[in-house]
mmCIF file of all heavy atoms in Angstrom:
data_model
loop_
_atom_site.group_PDB
_atom_site.id
_atom_site.type_symbol
_atom_site.label_atom_id
_atom_site.label_comp_id
_atom_site.label_asym_id
_atom_site.label_seq_id
_atom_site.Cartn_x
_atom_site.Cartn_y
_atom_site.Cartn_z
ATOM 1 N N MET A 226 24.907 10.069 50.472
ATOM 2 C CA MET A 226 24.342 10.716 49.292
ATOM 3 C C MET A 226 23.329 9.776 48.635
ATOM 4 O O MET A 226 23.645 8.646 48.300
ATOM 5 C CB MET A 226 25.466 11.069 48.328
ATOM 6 C CG MET A 226 25.006 11.744 47.092
ATOM 7 S SD MET A 226 26.439 12.167 46.072
ATOM 8 C CE MET A 226 25.738 13.446 45.138
ATOM 9 N N GLU A 227 22.142 10.242 48.454
ATOM 10 C CA GLU A 227 21.073 9.429 47.883
ATOM 11 C C GLU A 227 20.980 9.666 46.385
ATOM 12 O O GLU A 227 21.058 10.795 45.917
ATOM 13 C CB GLU A 227 19.764 9.802 48.564
ATOM 14 C CG GLU A 227 18.725 8.725 48.469
ATOM 15 C CD GLU A 227 17.526 9.045 49.330
ATOM 16 O OE1 GLU A 227 17.727 9.327 50.523
ATOM 17 O OE2 GLU A 227 16.412 9.034 48.792
ATOM 18 N N THR A 228 20.815 8.570 45.630
ATOM 19 C CA THR A 228 20.688 8.705 44.185
ATOM 20 C C THR A 228 19.212 8.881 43.831
ATOM 21 O O THR A 228 18.340 8.320 44.483
ATOM 22 C CB THR A 228 21.243 7.468 43.452
ATOM 23 O OG1 THR A 228 20.528 6.322 43.898
ATOM 24 C CG2 THR A 228 22.720 7.285 43.726
ATOM 25 N N PRO A 229 18.930 9.667 42.796
ATOM 26 C CA PRO A 229 17.533 9.866 42.392
ATOM 27 C C PRO A 229 16.966 8.582 41.776
ATOM 28 O O PRO A 229 17.697 7.752 41.236
ATOM 29 C CB PRO A 229 17.619 10.985 41.357
ATOM 30 C CG PRO A 229 19.015 10.939 40.846
ATOM 31 C CD PRO A 229 19.867 10.414 41.984
ATOM 32 N N ASN A 230 15.665 8.409 41.886
ATOM 33 C CA ASN A 230 15.008 7.248 41.274
ATOM 34 C C ASN A 230 15.060 7.360 39.761
ATOM 35 O O ASN A 230 14.802 8.424 39.202
ATOM 36 C CB ASN A 230 13.552 7.149 41.729
ATOM 37 C CG ASN A 230 13.443 6.733 43.166
ATOM 38 O OD1 ASN A 230 14.345 6.127 43.721
ATOM 39 N ND2 ASN A 230 12.326 7.063 43.790
ATOM 40 N N TRP A 231 15.405 6.260 39.121
ATOM 41 C CA TRP A 231 15.486 6.227 37.669
ATOM 42 C C TRP A 231 14.151 5.756 37.128
ATOM 43 O O TRP A 231 13.591 4.754 37.577
ATOM 44 C CB TRP A 231 16.603 5.286 37.243
ATOM 45 C CG TRP A 231 16.666 5.061 35.768
ATOM 46 C CD1 TRP A 231 16.945 5.986 34.814
ATOM 47 C CD2 TRP A 231 16.461 3.829 35.080
ATOM 48 N NE1 TRP A 231 16.919 5.413 33.575
ATOM 49 C CE2 TRP A 231 16.616 4.084 33.701
ATOM 50 C CE3 TRP A 231 16.146 2.546 35.478
ATOM 51 C CZ2 TRP A 231 16.484 3.102 32.737
ATOM 52 C CZ3 TRP A 231 16.015 1.559 34.522
ATOM 53 C CH2 TRP A 231 16.181 1.853 33.159
ATOM 54 N N LYS A 232 13.631 6.474 36.161
ATOM 55 C CA LYS A 232 12.379 6.090 35.517
ATOM 56 C C LYS A 232 12.677 5.873 34.041
ATOM 57 O O LYS A 232 12.957 6.832 33.311
ATOM 58 C CB LYS A 232 11.326 7.161 35.724
ATOM 59 C CG LYS A 232 10.962 7.304 37.177
ATOM 60 C CD LYS A 232 9.850 8.274 37.413
ATOM 61 C CE LYS A 232 9.593 8.302 38.910
ATOM 62 N NZ LYS A 232 8.677 9.327 39.304
ATOM 63 N N PRO A 233 12.646 4.599 33.605
ATOM 64 C CA PRO A 233 12.991 4.314 32.208
ATOM 65 C C PRO A 233 11.965 4.871 31.232
ATOM 66 O O PRO A 233 10.772 4.941 31.528
ATOM 67 C CB PRO A 233 13.024 2.792 32.153
ATOM 68 C CG PRO A 233 12.150 2.349 33.269
ATOM 69 C CD PRO A 233 12.267 3.395 34.341
ATOM 70 N N THR A 234 12.469 5.233 30.064
ATOM 71 C CA THR A 234 11.581 5.666 28.986
ATOM 72 C C THR A 234 10.919 4.428 28.408
ATOM 73 O O THR A 234 11.294 3.284 28.716
ATOM 74 C CB THR A 234 12.374 6.382 27.887
ATOM 75 O OG1 THR A 234 13.292 5.438 27.309
ATOM 76 C CG2 THR A 234 13.134 7.583 28.418
ATOM 77 N N ASP A 235 9.949 4.625 27.549
ATOM 78 C CA ASP A 235 9.293 3.489 26.898
ATOM 79 C C ASP A 235 10.301 2.674 26.088
ATOM 80 O O ASP A 235 10.248 1.450 26.080
ATOM 81 C CB ASP A 235 8.156 3.959 25.998
ATOM 82 C CG ASP A 235 6.961 4.472 26.796
ATOM 83 O OD1 ASP A 235 6.849 4.135 27.993
ATOM 84 O OD2 ASP A 235 6.136 5.196 26.207
ATOM 85 N N GLU A 236 11.221 3.363 25.420
ATOM 86 C CA GLU A 236 12.231 2.670 24.624
ATOM 87 C C GLU A 236 13.154 1.844 25.523
ATOM 88 O O GLU A 236 13.459 0.694 25.213
ATOM 89 C CB GLU A 236 13.058 3.672 23.818
ATOM 90 C CG GLU A 236 14.104 3.014 22.923
ATOM 91 C CD GLU A 236 14.933 4.022 22.145
ATOM 92 O OE1 GLU A 236 14.722 5.240 22.320
ATOM 93 O OE2 GLU A 236 15.776 3.578 21.364
ATOM 94 N N GLU A 237 13.578 2.414 26.632
ATOM 95 C CA GLU A 237 14.440 1.676 27.564
ATOM 96 C C GLU A 237 13.703 0.478 28.152
ATOM 97 O O GLU A 237 14.276 -0.606 28.302
ATOM 98 C CB GLU A 237 14.910 2.607 28.689
ATOM 99 C CG GLU A 237 15.899 3.648 28.222
ATOM 100 C CD GLU A 237 16.149 4.730 29.237
ATOM 101 O OE1 GLU A 237 15.247 5.055 30.047
ATOM 102 O OE2 GLU A 237 17.272 5.271 29.226
ATOM 103 N N ARG A 238 12.442 0.656 28.462
ATOM 104 C CA ARG A 238 11.636 -0.451 29.001
ATOM 105 C C ARG A 238 11.512 -1.579 27.971
ATOM 106 O O ARG A 238 11.608 -2.759 28.308
ATOM 107 C CB ARG A 238 10.255 0.073 29.393
ATOM 108 C CG ARG A 238 9.432 -0.902 30.179
ATOM 109 C CD ARG A 238 8.117 -0.282 30.609
ATOM 110 N NE ARG A 238 8.269 0.923 31.388
ATOM 111 C CZ ARG A 238 8.511 0.963 32.699
ATOM 112 N NH1 ARG A 238 8.613 -0.160 33.359
ATOM 113 N NH2 ARG A 238 8.616 2.111 33.329
ATOM 114 N N GLU A 239 11.330 -1.223 26.718
ATOM 115 C CA GLU A 239 11.228 -2.211 25.645
ATOM 116 C C GLU A 239 12.546 -2.984 25.502
ATOM 117 O O GLU A 239 12.539 -4.204 25.344
ATOM 118 C CB GLU A 239 10.872 -1.520 24.337
ATOM 119 C CG GLU A 239 10.605 -2.466 23.194
ATOM 120 C CD GLU A 239 10.181 -1.728 21.939
ATOM 121 O OE1 GLU A 239 9.409 -0.751 22.045
ATOM 122 O OE2 GLU A 239 10.625 -2.138 20.854
ATOM 123 N N ILE A 240 13.660 -2.271 25.565
ATOM 124 C CA ILE A 240 14.975 -2.918 25.465
ATOM 125 C C ILE A 240 15.176 -3.876 26.632
ATOM 126 O O ILE A 240 15.643 -5.008 26.446
ATOM 127 C CB ILE A 240 16.102 -1.864 25.414
ATOM 128 C CG1 ILE A 240 16.037 -1.107 24.088
ATOM 129 C CG2 ILE A 240 17.474 -2.504 25.611
ATOM 130 C CD1 ILE A 240 16.898 0.136 24.031
ATOM 131 N N MET A 241 14.813 -3.443 27.829
ATOM 132 C CA MET A 241 14.954 -4.319 29.003
ATOM 133 C C MET A 241 14.105 -5.574 28.866
ATOM 134 O O MET A 241 14.520 -6.671 29.258
ATOM 135 C CB MET A 241 14.596 -3.566 30.279
ATOM 136 C CG MET A 241 15.621 -2.534 30.662
ATOM 137 S SD MET A 241 15.343 -1.767 32.270
ATOM 138 C CE MET A 241 13.790 -0.924 32.010
ATOM 139 N N GLU A 242 12.929 -5.437 28.292
ATOM 140 C CA GLU A 242 12.049 -6.594 28.088
ATOM 141 C C GLU A 242 12.685 -7.593 27.118
ATOM 142 O O GLU A 242 12.661 -8.807 27.352
ATOM 143 C CB GLU A 242 10.689 -6.134 27.570
ATOM 144 C CG GLU A 242 9.697 -7.247 27.358
ATOM 145 C CD GLU A 242 9.223 -7.896 28.645
ATOM 146 O OE1 GLU A 242 9.249 -7.244 29.700
ATOM 147 O OE2 GLU A 242 8.827 -9.071 28.581
ATOM 148 N N VAL A 243 13.275 -7.086 26.041
ATOM 149 C CA VAL A 243 13.934 -7.956 25.058
ATOM 150 C C VAL A 243 15.119 -8.680 25.701
ATOM 151 O O VAL A 243 15.286 -9.888 25.539
ATOM 152 C CB VAL A 243 14.388 -7.141 23.822
ATOM 153 C CG1 VAL A 243 15.303 -7.958 22.932
ATOM 154 C CG2 VAL A 243 13.183 -6.649 23.049
ATOM 155 N N VAL A 244 15.918 -7.924 26.462
ATOM 156 C CA VAL A 244 17.077 -8.530 27.123
ATOM 157 C C VAL A 244 16.613 -9.577 28.126
ATOM 158 O O VAL A 244 17.170 -10.675 28.202
ATOM 159 C CB VAL A 244 17.943 -7.449 27.811
ATOM 160 C CG1 VAL A 244 18.994 -8.074 28.703
ATOM 161 C CG2 VAL A 244 18.589 -6.551 26.768
ATOM 162 N N TRP A 245 15.564 -9.273 28.897
ATOM 163 C CA TRP A 245 15.058 -10.223 29.883
ATOM 164 C C TRP A 245 14.597 -11.519 29.207
ATOM 165 O O TRP A 245 14.870 -12.615 29.708
ATOM 166 C CB TRP A 245 13.919 -9.614 30.690
ATOM 167 C CG TRP A 245 13.224 -10.644 31.529
ATOM 168 C CD1 TRP A 245 11.949 -11.046 31.420
ATOM 169 C CD2 TRP A 245 13.815 -11.440 32.572
ATOM 170 N NE1 TRP A 245 11.695 -12.044 32.337
ATOM 171 C CE2 TRP A 245 12.828 -12.299 33.046
ATOM 172 C CE3 TRP A 245 15.091 -11.501 33.124
ATOM 173 C CZ2 TRP A 245 13.062 -13.211 34.068
ATOM 174 C CZ3 TRP A 245 15.324 -12.424 34.143
ATOM 175 C CH2 TRP A 245 14.324 -13.253 34.607
ATOM 176 N N MET A 246 13.937 -11.423 28.064
ATOM 177 C CA MET A 246 13.486 -12.624 27.358
ATOM 178 C C MET A 246 14.682 -13.460 26.908
ATOM 179 O O MET A 246 14.639 -14.694 26.962
ATOM 180 C CB MET A 246 12.600 -12.251 26.168
ATOM 181 C CG MET A 246 11.291 -11.596 26.572
ATOM 182 S SD MET A 246 10.304 -12.566 27.730
ATOM 183 C CE MET A 246 9.811 -13.915 26.700
ATOM 184 N N GLN A 247 15.770 -12.809 26.487
ATOM 185 C CA GLN A 247 16.971 -13.536 26.084
ATOM 186 C C GLN A 247 17.605 -14.240 27.278
ATOM 187 O O GLN A 247 18.014 -15.400 27.190
ATOM 188 C CB GLN A 247 17.972 -12.595 25.426
ATOM 189 C CG GLN A 247 17.508 -12.086 24.081
ATOM 190 C CD GLN A 247 18.447 -11.051 23.492
ATOM 191 O OE1 GLN A 247 19.268 -10.455 24.178
ATOM 192 N NE2 GLN A 247 18.312 -10.809 22.207
ATOM 193 N N VAL A 248 17.690 -13.541 28.409
ATOM 194 C CA VAL A 248 18.266 -14.137 29.620
ATOM 195 C C VAL A 248 17.404 -15.306 30.082
ATOM 196 O O VAL A 248 17.910 -16.376 30.429
ATOM 197 C CB VAL A 248 18.409 -13.072 30.738
ATOM 198 C CG1 VAL A 248 18.740 -13.717 32.069
ATOM 199 C CG2 VAL A 248 19.461 -12.046 30.364
ATOM 200 N N LYS A 249 16.103 -15.111 30.087
ATOM 201 C CA LYS A 249 15.179 -16.165 30.516
ATOM 202 C C LYS A 249 15.334 -17.407 29.629
ATOM 203 O O LYS A 249 15.387 -18.532 30.131
ATOM 204 C CB LYS A 249 13.747 -15.644 30.466
ATOM 205 C CG LYS A 249 12.730 -16.598 31.005
ATOM 206 C CD LYS A 249 11.341 -15.960 30.991
ATOM 207 C CE LYS A 249 10.287 -16.943 31.436
ATOM 208 N NZ LYS A 249 8.948 -16.384 31.318
ATOM 209 N N GLY A 250 15.426 -17.204 28.322
ATOM 210 C CA GLY A 250 15.610 -18.328 27.401
ATOM 211 C C GLY A 250 16.931 -19.050 27.638
ATOM 212 O O GLY A 250 16.986 -20.286 27.623
ATOM 213 N N ALA A 251 17.987 -18.287 27.885
ATOM 214 C CA ALA A 251 19.293 -18.891 28.156
ATOM 215 C C ALA A 251 19.261 -19.691 29.454
ATOM 216 O O ALA A 251 19.844 -20.785 29.533
ATOM 217 C CB ALA A 251 20.371 -17.816 28.216
ATOM 218 N N CYS A 252 18.573 -19.188 30.458
ATOM 219 C CA CYS A 252 18.469 -19.905 31.732
ATOM 220 C C CYS A 252 17.684 -21.204 31.564
ATOM 221 O O CYS A 252 18.059 -22.247 32.121
ATOM 222 C CB CYS A 252 17.811 -19.021 32.789
ATOM 223 S SG CYS A 252 18.836 -17.645 33.317
ATOM 224 N N GLU A 253 16.607 -21.160 30.815
ATOM 225 C CA GLU A 253 15.826 -22.377 30.569
ATOM 226 C C GLU A 253 16.657 -23.414 29.814
ATOM 227 O O GLU A 253 16.613 -24.604 30.130
ATOM 228 C CB GLU A 253 14.547 -22.047 29.796
ATOM 229 C CG GLU A 253 13.533 -21.276 30.604
ATOM 230 C CD GLU A 253 13.056 -22.023 31.834
ATOM 231 O OE1 GLU A 253 12.850 -23.249 31.763
ATOM 232 O OE2 GLU A 253 12.902 -21.365 32.876
ATOM 233 N N LYS A 254 17.420 -22.970 28.831
ATOM 234 C CA LYS A 254 18.281 -23.892 28.073
ATOM 235 C C LYS A 254 19.338 -24.498 28.996
ATOM 236 O O LYS A 254 19.608 -25.698 28.926
ATOM 237 C CB LYS A 254 18.941 -23.150 26.918
ATOM 238 C CG LYS A 254 19.742 -24.047 26.002
ATOM 239 C CD LYS A 254 20.239 -23.290 24.796
ATOM 240 C CE LYS A 254 21.024 -24.238 23.883
ATOM 241 N NZ LYS A 254 21.507 -23.565 22.697
ATOM 242 N N LEU A 255 19.918 -23.687 29.870
ATOM 243 C CA LEU A 255 20.906 -24.179 30.822
ATOM 244 C C LEU A 255 20.300 -25.247 31.722
ATOM 245 O O LEU A 255 20.915 -26.284 31.976
ATOM 246 C CB LEU A 255 21.450 -23.020 31.666
ATOM 247 C CG LEU A 255 22.489 -23.356 32.716
ATOM 248 C CD1 LEU A 255 23.770 -23.868 32.059
ATOM 249 C CD2 LEU A 255 22.798 -22.136 33.574
ATOM 250 N N LYS A 256 19.080 -25.010 32.194
ATOM 251 C CA LYS A 256 18.410 -25.987 33.052
ATOM 252 C C LYS A 256 18.126 -27.288 32.306
ATOM 253 O O LYS A 256 18.221 -28.373 32.883
ATOM 254 C CB LYS A 256 17.109 -25.407 33.600
ATOM 255 C CG LYS A 256 17.347 -24.405 34.724
ATOM 256 C CD LYS A 256 16.101 -23.690 35.146
ATOM 257 C CE LYS A 256 15.015 -24.571 35.647
ATOM 258 N NZ LYS A 256 13.850 -23.828 36.158
ATOM 259 N N GLU A 257 17.789 -27.206 31.017
ATOM 260 C CA GLU A 257 17.508 -28.394 30.224
ATOM 261 C C GLU A 257 18.772 -29.221 29.957
ATOM 262 O O GLU A 257 18.722 -30.439 29.930
ATOM 263 C CB GLU A 257 16.883 -28.005 28.879
ATOM 264 C CG GLU A 257 15.476 -27.477 28.981
ATOM 265 C CD GLU A 257 14.961 -26.945 27.653
ATOM 266 O OE1 GLU A 257 15.645 -27.098 26.614
ATOM 267 O OE2 GLU A 257 13.861 -26.357 27.651
ATOM 268 N N GLU A 258 19.887 -28.527 29.748
ATOM 269 C CA GLU A 258 21.116 -29.207 29.330
ATOM 270 C C GLU A 258 22.039 -29.592 30.481
ATOM 271 O O GLU A 258 23.021 -30.301 30.265
ATOM 272 C CB GLU A 258 21.873 -28.324 28.335
ATOM 273 C CG GLU A 258 21.096 -28.124 27.043
ATOM 274 C CD GLU A 258 21.799 -27.229 26.050
ATOM 275 O OE1 GLU A 258 22.888 -26.718 26.357
ATOM 276 O OE2 GLU A 258 21.238 -27.042 24.952
ATOM 277 N N THR A 259 21.753 -29.125 31.684
ATOM 278 C CA THR A 259 22.587 -29.431 32.846
ATOM 279 C C THR A 259 21.682 -29.794 34.014
ATOM 280 O O THR A 259 20.465 -29.840 33.884
ATOM 281 C CB THR A 259 23.465 -28.226 33.256
ATOM 282 O OG1 THR A 259 22.621 -27.191 33.756
ATOM 283 C CG2 THR A 259 24.286 -27.706 32.087
ATOM 284 N N ASN A 260 22.310 -30.026 35.157
ATOM 285 C CA ASN A 260 21.507 -30.298 36.350
ATOM 286 C C ASN A 260 21.359 -29.044 37.211
ATOM 287 O O ASN A 260 21.049 -29.121 38.393
ATOM 288 C CB ASN A 260 22.104 -31.449 37.165
ATOM 289 C CG ASN A 260 23.489 -31.127 37.705
ATOM 290 O OD1 ASN A 260 24.093 -30.123 37.349
ATOM 291 N ND2 ASN A 260 23.999 -31.997 38.562
ATOM 292 N N ALA A 261 21.567 -27.866 36.620
ATOM 293 C CA ALA A 261 21.451 -26.603 37.351
ATOM 294 C C ALA A 261 20.011 -26.405 37.821
ATOM 295 O O ALA A 261 19.066 -26.657 37.087
ATOM 296 C CB ALA A 261 21.876 -25.434 36.474
ATOM 297 N N GLN A 262 19.884 -25.947 39.037
ATOM 298 C CA GLN A 262 18.579 -25.642 39.616
ATOM 299 C C GLN A 262 18.417 -24.125 39.683
ATOM 300 O O GLN A 262 19.365 -23.375 39.470
ATOM 301 C CB GLN A 262 18.465 -26.249 41.017
ATOM 302 C CG GLN A 262 18.623 -27.755 41.045
ATOM 303 C CD GLN A 262 17.534 -28.471 40.271
ATOM 304 O OE1 GLN A 262 16.358 -28.178 40.455
ATOM 305 N NE2 GLN A 262 17.913 -29.380 39.407
ATOM 306 N N ASN A 263 17.215 -23.666 40.008
ATOM 307 C CA ASN A 263 16.944 -22.229 40.067
ATOM 308 C C ASN A 263 17.919 -21.494 40.980
ATOM 309 O O ASN A 263 18.369 -20.400 40.652
ATOM 310 C CB ASN A 263 15.513 -21.971 40.528
ATOM 311 C CG ASN A 263 14.496 -22.252 39.448
ATOM 312 O OD1 ASN A 263 14.830 -22.365 38.276
ATOM 313 N ND2 ASN A 263 13.247 -22.390 39.837
ATOM 314 N N GLU A 264 18.232 -22.099 42.138
ATOM 315 C CA GLU A 264 19.130 -21.417 43.067
ATOM 316 C C GLU A 264 20.538 -21.270 42.485
ATOM 317 O O GLU A 264 21.225 -20.275 42.744
ATOM 318 C CB GLU A 264 19.178 -22.106 44.437
ATOM 319 C CG GLU A 264 19.585 -23.553 44.420
ATOM 320 C CD GLU A 264 18.432 -24.540 44.283
ATOM 321 O OE1 GLU A 264 17.306 -24.118 43.965
ATOM 322 O OE2 GLU A 264 18.666 -25.738 44.495
ATOM 323 N N HIS A 265 20.984 -22.238 41.670
ATOM 324 C CA HIS A 265 22.290 -22.132 41.019
ATOM 325 C C HIS A 265 22.286 -20.991 39.998
ATOM 326 O O HIS A 265 23.233 -20.206 39.917
ATOM 327 C CB HIS A 265 22.663 -23.435 40.304
ATOM 328 C CG HIS A 265 22.705 -24.617 41.216
ATOM 329 N ND1 HIS A 265 21.952 -25.739 40.974
ATOM 330 C CD2 HIS A 265 23.397 -24.852 42.352
ATOM 331 C CE1 HIS A 265 22.175 -26.619 41.930
ATOM 332 N NE2 HIS A 265 23.045 -26.099 42.783
ATOM 333 N N ILE A 266 21.227 -20.909 39.224
ATOM 334 C CA ILE A 266 21.117 -19.875 38.196
ATOM 335 C C ILE A 266 20.997 -18.497 38.846
ATOM 336 O O ILE A 266 21.622 -17.532 38.404
ATOM 337 C CB ILE A 266 19.935 -20.170 37.265
ATOM 338 C CG1 ILE A 266 20.250 -21.461 36.469
ATOM 339 C CG2 ILE A 266 19.657 -19.009 36.333
ATOM 340 C CD1 ILE A 266 19.104 -22.009 35.677
ATOM 341 N N THR A 267 20.231 -18.418 39.929
ATOM 342 C CA THR A 267 20.101 -17.152 40.656
ATOM 343 C C THR A 267 21.458 -16.679 41.154
ATOM 344 O O THR A 267 21.811 -15.499 41.006
ATOM 345 C CB THR A 267 19.127 -17.319 41.839
ATOM 346 O OG1 THR A 267 17.849 -17.707 41.340
ATOM 347 C CG2 THR A 267 18.999 -16.037 42.646
ATOM 348 N N LYS A 268 22.217 -17.589 41.739
ATOM 349 C CA LYS A 268 23.542 -17.234 42.255
ATOM 350 C C LYS A 268 24.456 -16.789 41.115
ATOM 351 O O LYS A 268 25.183 -15.795 41.242
ATOM 352 C CB LYS A 268 24.159 -18.419 42.994
ATOM 353 C CG LYS A 268 25.490 -18.104 43.615
ATOM 354 C CD LYS A 268 26.051 -19.281 44.387
ATOM 355 C CE LYS A 268 27.417 -18.935 44.943
ATOM 356 N NZ LYS A 268 28.052 -20.058 45.584
ATOM 357 N N MET A 269 24.420 -17.487 39.988
ATOM 358 C CA MET A 269 25.257 -17.134 38.844
ATOM 359 C C MET A 269 24.902 -15.740 38.325
ATOM 360 O O MET A 269 25.789 -14.922 38.075
ATOM 361 C CB MET A 269 25.068 -18.165 37.721
ATOM 362 C CG MET A 269 25.833 -17.852 36.454
ATOM 363 S SD MET A 269 25.465 -18.991 35.103
ATOM 364 C CE MET A 269 23.762 -18.596 34.761
ATOM 365 N N LEU A 270 23.610 -15.450 38.176
ATOM 366 C CA LEU A 270 23.191 -14.135 37.689
ATOM 367 C C LEU A 270 23.573 -13.032 38.665
ATOM 368 O O LEU A 270 23.993 -11.956 38.252
ATOM 369 C CB LEU A 270 21.684 -14.126 37.429
ATOM 370 C CG LEU A 270 21.211 -14.993 36.260
ATOM 371 C CD1 LEU A 270 19.686 -15.049 36.231
ATOM 372 C CD2 LEU A 270 21.769 -14.492 34.949
ATOM 373 N N GLN A 271 23.457 -13.311 39.969
ATOM 374 C CA GLN A 271 23.840 -12.306 40.965
ATOM 375 C C GLN A 271 25.341 -12.035 40.916
ATOM 376 O O GLN A 271 25.775 -10.888 40.997
ATOM 377 C CB GLN A 271 23.435 -12.768 42.373
ATOM 378 C CG GLN A 271 23.677 -11.707 43.433
ATOM 379 C CD GLN A 271 22.874 -10.448 43.183
ATOM 380 O OE1 GLN A 271 21.653 -10.504 43.081
ATOM 381 N NE2 GLN A 271 23.547 -9.321 43.074
ATOM 382 N N GLU A 272 26.140 -13.090 40.756
ATOM 383 C CA GLU A 272 27.591 -12.915 40.661
ATOM 384 C C GLU A 272 27.960 -12.099 39.416
ATOM 385 O O GLU A 272 28.844 -11.245 39.473
ATOM 386 C CB GLU A 272 28.293 -14.268 40.636
ATOM 387 C CG GLU A 272 28.279 -14.980 41.971
ATOM 388 C CD GLU A 272 28.865 -16.384 41.903
ATOM 389 O OE1 GLU A 272 29.290 -16.835 40.816
ATOM 390 O OE2 GLU A 272 28.883 -17.036 42.958
ATOM 391 N N MET A 273 27.280 -12.356 38.305
ATOM 392 C CA MET A 273 27.534 -11.600 37.084
ATOM 393 C C MET A 273 27.158 -10.133 37.276
ATOM 394 O O MET A 273 27.909 -9.230 36.879
ATOM 395 C CB MET A 273 26.765 -12.202 35.909
ATOM 396 C CG MET A 273 27.285 -13.558 35.485
ATOM 397 S SD MET A 273 26.202 -14.405 34.325
ATOM 398 C CE MET A 273 26.209 -13.288 32.955
ATOM 399 N N ALA A 274 26.015 -9.881 37.879
ATOM 400 C CA ALA A 274 25.584 -8.501 38.116
ATOM 401 C C ALA A 274 26.560 -7.784 39.043
ATOM 402 O O ALA A 274 26.922 -6.627 38.805
ATOM 403 C CB ALA A 274 24.172 -8.486 38.720
ATOM 404 N N ASP A 275 27.009 -8.474 40.094
ATOM 405 C CA ASP A 275 27.957 -7.868 41.020
ATOM 406 C C ASP A 275 29.273 -7.540 40.315
ATOM 407 O O ASP A 275 29.860 -6.490 40.547
ATOM 408 C CB ASP A 275 28.233 -8.806 42.199
ATOM 409 C CG ASP A 275 27.037 -8.946 43.130
ATOM 410 O OD1 ASP A 275 26.090 -8.135 43.025
ATOM 411 O OD2 ASP A 275 27.051 -9.881 43.956
ATOM 412 N N CYS A 276 29.711 -8.432 39.446
ATOM 413 C CA CYS A 276 30.982 -8.252 38.749
ATOM 414 C C CYS A 276 30.935 -7.053 37.806
ATOM 415 O O CYS A 276 31.850 -6.253 37.765
ATOM 416 C CB CYS A 276 31.318 -9.526 37.974
ATOM 417 S SG CYS A 276 32.828 -9.433 37.000
ATOM 418 N N TYR A 277 29.855 -6.928 37.064
ATOM 419 C CA TYR A 277 29.782 -5.901 36.027
ATOM 420 C C TYR A 277 29.174 -4.586 36.487
ATOM 421 O O TYR A 277 29.406 -3.548 35.881
ATOM 422 C CB TYR A 277 29.005 -6.419 34.822
ATOM 423 C CG TYR A 277 29.761 -7.485 34.080
ATOM 424 C CD1 TYR A 277 29.402 -8.822 34.190
ATOM 425 C CD2 TYR A 277 30.862 -7.164 33.283
ATOM 426 C CE1 TYR A 277 30.109 -9.803 33.502
ATOM 427 C CE2 TYR A 277 31.562 -8.144 32.605
ATOM 428 C CZ TYR A 277 31.191 -9.449 32.712
ATOM 429 O OH TYR A 277 31.876 -10.416 32.056
ATOM 430 N N TYR A 278 28.372 -4.605 37.538
ATOM 431 C CA TYR A 278 27.622 -3.397 37.902
ATOM 432 C C TYR A 278 27.845 -2.939 39.333
ATOM 433 O O TYR A 278 27.076 -2.173 39.863
ATOM 434 C CB TYR A 278 26.136 -3.587 37.630
ATOM 435 C CG TYR A 278 25.889 -3.885 36.192
ATOM 436 C CD1 TYR A 278 25.582 -5.163 35.745
ATOM 437 C CD2 TYR A 278 26.021 -2.878 35.241
ATOM 438 C CE1 TYR A 278 25.385 -5.432 34.404
ATOM 439 C CE2 TYR A 278 25.819 -3.134 33.896
ATOM 440 C CZ TYR A 278 25.511 -4.416 33.484
ATOM 441 O OH TYR A 278 25.317 -4.676 32.173
ATOM 442 N N SER A 279 28.924 -3.388 39.965
ATOM 443 C CA SER A 279 29.215 -2.944 41.336
ATOM 444 C C SER A 279 30.322 -1.915 41.325
ATOM 445 O O SER A 279 31.142 -1.836 40.496
ATOM 446 C CB SER A 279 29.645 -4.118 42.194
ATOM 447 O OG SER A 279 28.571 -5.001 42.367
#
C-alpha cells in the first residue's frame, strides 16, 4: 500500500523551519561542548527519529 505524498501548508513549513533552527542550534552547542562529530550527531538524530516516528 502506497502512502500519498504529503505537501505541507505554508504554516507547517514555517513551523518546520523554526524547529529545524532549534535542532541545528542544539547540535552546534553539543559539538562545542563535547567531542561529538557530525557522524555522532547524525546517528543520534536518526536513532531519535526511529524511536519516535517508526
Side-chain angles (χ1 to χ4, degrees):
M226 180 178 203
E227 202 171 308
T228 59
N230 289 337
W231 173 65
K232 295 185 180 172
T234 64
D235 289 340
E236 182 181 2
E237 290 168 330
R238 190 176 303 278
E239 186 177 320
I240 291 168
M241 289 187 296
E242 181 69 26
V243 169
V244 170
W245 170 244
M246 295 305 291
Q247 291 175 342
V248 169
K249 185 177 176 185
C252 290
E253 290 299 320
K254 186 173 181 179
L255 180 65
K256 284 172 60 175
E257 290 173 7
E258 295 179 358
T259 68
N260 63 351
Q262 300 297 311
N263 285 344
E264 57 270 12
H265 302 124
I266 293 171
T267 300
K268 183 178 178 185
M269 177 186 67
L270 292 172
Q271 186 61 57
E272 288 175 0
M273 291 169 62
D275 290 346
C276 177
Y277 290 105
Y278 301 104
S279 293

